[in-house]
Amino acid sequence: MSNLKLAGVSKTYPSGKPALFDVNFSASDGEFIAIIGGAASGKSTILRIIAGLEEASEGDIYIGDKLMNDVKTKDRDVAVVFSGNTLYPNMNVAENMAFGLKMRNVPTAVAMESVKLVAEMLGLSDVLYRKPKTLTSAQRLLATYGRAIVREPRVYLFDDPLSGLDEKLRAQMCSVLVNLQARVKGTFIYATKNVAEAMSMATRVVVLKDGFVQQTDTPRNLYDYPANEYVAFYVGSPTINFVRRATVERDESGVYALASGVKFPLPENIVSRWGNIEEYVGSGREVTLGLRPEDLRFGGENAEYPCTVLGADSIYEGVAEVELAKGLTLSVFMPKPEKGKAGKLQADLKRLYVFDGKTGLTLLARDGGYEPDEKNGEADFVPLTPDEMQEQIAKRTPVEQPKKKRR
C-alpha cells in the first residue's frame, strides 16, 4: 500500500492562474521522494496541498488508505519543514521540539521523553535548554528537524529547507537528512530547486515544469533515460549539449545524423533503440541530438571532429566551449582551455540522446541498462509536448473580458 498518493491533482488559484495540471505520483513507506523544477513549477504548491494548507481544485490526496481532501491540516499526520529558521524565539529547543506534541495534548512527561530521544539522535542533547538565538545555524536547522521527527508522522514534507545555507553546511545537512530518513518511519517528500541535492539524496525524483509532471524515476534512470529534452537538460550539470535541426540520412556506411554540415554516425545500439527510425531517414524530419560534456573529449587517438576552442564556459569551471561548425558549439571538459586552439573532438556516440525536433520527446526506447523500480508506477508515463501543455494552460486560463467603456 502507498503511504502517500496523489491522483489527478490540479490547482487553479482564485485569480484564475493555473498552477498544477493532473499530477499523479505515489510514495511507499520509507521512500525519499524529491520534487524538482524551476521557478513557478509547482513544487511548493504540491507540498501545501498534501499538508492541507491549500485545497486542490481537482483530484485526490491519500495518506495510507484514507482520502485526505476534506481532512484538516492538524489531522493529516504530516510534518512540514520550511526553509529558514522557523523556531519560536521565546522557547528553548526542548519546548520548540515538544510544541507539536503539546498541541495534541500529549502528557508533558511523555513528550519530553520523546524530545530527549530525538535530541540524542540529532546531537542536540547539550543545547536542549538554550534559546534559538544562541544556537549555530546547523543546530537551529537540526532543532527544526527534531520538531518534525518527534511527532512521528506518516509523511515528512520539506520545502527547500537548505535554501540560503553555505555549501559546506548544505552538504552536512544533506548527510543528516539521508541518515534520518534511514532511521525514522514515514515518507520524505523533499521539494527543491537544487538538482544536485535531489539526485544525491532521493530514491526517486519527480521533475516538474510549469505545473506539469515531466518524469518520475530514480536519479540514475532520469539521467540515462530522460523522457524529453527538458529532463535531459535539467538533471545534468554541466548541462547537456543540444544539437538542433539535425536530419537523419543513410549511405553505404550506415545511418547518420547531419547538423550544420557535421556528420554524426549512429552506432548500432542507438539505431536498435530507435523503433521508428525509418520515419526519419531521408524524410527531412528534424531531430535534436543530446551529448553530455562528459561524453566528449578534446584530443585523443579516436578524435575525429575538427574544432576550435572558443574559450572557457562562463558558468562551469573546467568546461570549455568548442566550435565544430558555424552555429554548432559544444561544451566539453577541459581544465585549461586555450582560446583559439585548433584540434579534434572525440565523441562517445554510444551515449547519444535523440529527441524529436518538434515534440522534444525521446525517440529511444530503454535498453538493458535501465533499472526498473517496482515501486514506481509512473515510470512509463509519457509527458505532454510543449504544444499540448500550452493548450492545457489556455483551457484553464480564463479569457480576460474587455472592459466596457463608460458612457
Side-chain angles (χ1 to χ4, degrees):
M1 179 188 296
S2 298
N3 197 39
L4 172 70
K5 181 179 180 181
L6 274 67
V9 171
S10 298
K11 174 67 177 180
T12 301
Y13 287 109
S15 64
K17 181 180 179 181
L20 293 174
F21 300 82
D22 194 28
V23 173
N24 297 273
F25 74 86
S26 58
S28 301
D29 189 29
E31 273 201 279
F32 194 132
I33 306 292
I35 304 175
I36 61 174
S41 61
K43 305 182 298 294
S44 295
T45 303
I46 288 178
L47 263 59
R48 292 178 67 83
I49 288 174
I50 294 171
L53 299 173
E54 291 187 20
E55 291 184 5
S57 302
E58 298 175 20
D60 298 320
I61 303 97
Y62 294 88
I63 294 178
D65 59 353
K66 186 176 181 180
L67 180 65
M68 291 286 149
N69 292 27
D70 299 320
V71 176
K72 294 181 180 179
T73 300
K74 65 182 182 64
D75 299 321
R76 291 200 177 196
D77 203 13
V78 301
V80 186
V81 177
F82 295 104
S83 61
N85 177 23
T86 58
L87 299 174
Y88 297 108
N90 60 322
M91 299 181 184
N92 61 34
V93 172
E95 291 168 335
N96 265 285
M97 290 174 62
F99 184 77
L101 298 178
K102 181 180 179 181
M103 291 297 98
R104 286 163 177 76
N105 298 315
V106 175
T108 301
V110 176
M112 289 309 300
E113 186 65 28
S114 297
V115 166
K116 289 177 181 179
L117 287 173
V118 173
E120 185 176 354
M121 181 193 305
L122 295 172
L124 294 174
S125 298
D126 294 338
V127 297
L128 266 180
Y129 300 101
R130 289 169 54 180
K131 296 289 181 65
K133 66 179 181 180
T134 68
L135 306 178
T136 66
S137 297
Q139 288 170 336
R140 284 195 293 269
L141 197 53
L142 289 171
T144 304
Y145 296 165
R147 186 169 59 189
I149 293 166
V150 75
R151 287 174 44 203
E152 298 184 2
R154 295 195 68 169
V155 179
Y156 298 83
L157 305 174
F158 295 87
D159 192 2
D160 215 359
L162 308 186
S163 175
L165 301 183
D166 61 55
E167 188 174 342
K168 183 178 180 181
L169 184 53
R170 183 184 289 266
Q172 179 185 340
M173 289 300 108
C174 282
S175 297
V176 169
L177 281 171
V178 171
N179 289 331
L180 279 178
Q181 194 270 336
R183 296 175 68 177
V184 303
K185 295 180 180 180
T187 299
F188 278 35
I189 308 295
Y190 187 96
T192 180
K193 56 182 175 289
N194 189 303
V195 179
E197 281 178 18
M199 298 290 277
S200 64
M201 293 192 294
T203 51
R204 285 193 293 132
V205 179
V206 180
V207 183
L208 286 178
K209 181 179 187 293
D210 300 330
F212 294 90
V213 174
Q214 304 296 302
Q215 189 171 354
T216 302
D217 217 323
T218 64
R220 177 65 180 271
N221 287 340
L222 286 178
Y223 190 84
D224 289 338
Y225 301 90
N228 59 18
E229 288 183 23
Y230 182 79
V231 176
F233 174 82
Y234 202 75
V235 301
S237 182
T239 53
I240 193 171
N241 295 292
F242 286 130
V243 179
R244 301 193 181 277
R245 306 195 67 178
T247 57
V248 186
E249 314 293 341
R250 179 186 280 117
D251 60 17
E252 65 279 358
S253 65
V255 183
Y256 61 93
L258 186 66
S260 301
V262 180
K263 185 176 178 180
F264 296 91
L266 300 181
E268 176 56 32
N269 73 305
I270 299 299
V271 173
S272 64
R273 292 173 58 197
W274 190 343
N276 63 340
I277 191 171
E278 293 303 327
E279 295 178 17
Y280 291 82
V281 175
S283 69
R285 289 181 65 177
E286 294 181 348
V287 300
T288 298
L289 307 179
L291 285 162
R292 295 201 183 275
E294 56 266 39
D295 297 324
L296 302 171
R297 179 182 175 187
F298 186 83
E301 294 182 3
N302 298 320
E304 56 179 310
Y305 297 99
C307 64
T308 304
V309 178
L310 298 180
D313 188 278
S314 59
I315 300 176
Y316 301 103
E317 186 177 351
V319 176
E321 295 288 329
V322 301
E323 184 178 60
L324 276 69
K326 187 175 181 179
L328 178 53
T329 62
L330 300 175
S331 297
V332 56
F333 281 104
M334 190 181 297
K336 297 179 179 180
E338 299 177 28
K339 186 175 181 179
K341 182 178 182 179
K344 289 187 177 182
L345 191 70
Q346 179 178 335
D348 184 0
L349 296 181
K350 290 182 179 179
R351 296 277 301 161
L352 188 69
Y353 301 79
V354 187
F355 307 94
D356 182 84
K358 184 177 181 180
T359 68
L361 298 178
T362 183
L363 293 169
L364 303 183
R366 298 163 181 164
D367 59 12
Y370 182 83
E371 300 175 356
D373 181 358
E374 60 183 17
K375 296 180 181 178
N376 188 6
E378 298 83 26
D380 296 327
F381 169 75
V382 178
L384 297 181
T385 67
D387 287 347
E388 290 170 336
M389 287 193 292
Q390 287 304 313
E391 288 177 10
Q392 290 295 317
I393 292 173
K395 284 181 181 179
R396 292 176 182 251
T397 304
V399 177
E400 191 171 320
Q401 298 296 327
K403 295 181 179 179
K404 293 182 179 181
K405 292 182 180 180
R406 291 183 178 180
R407 293 184 179 180

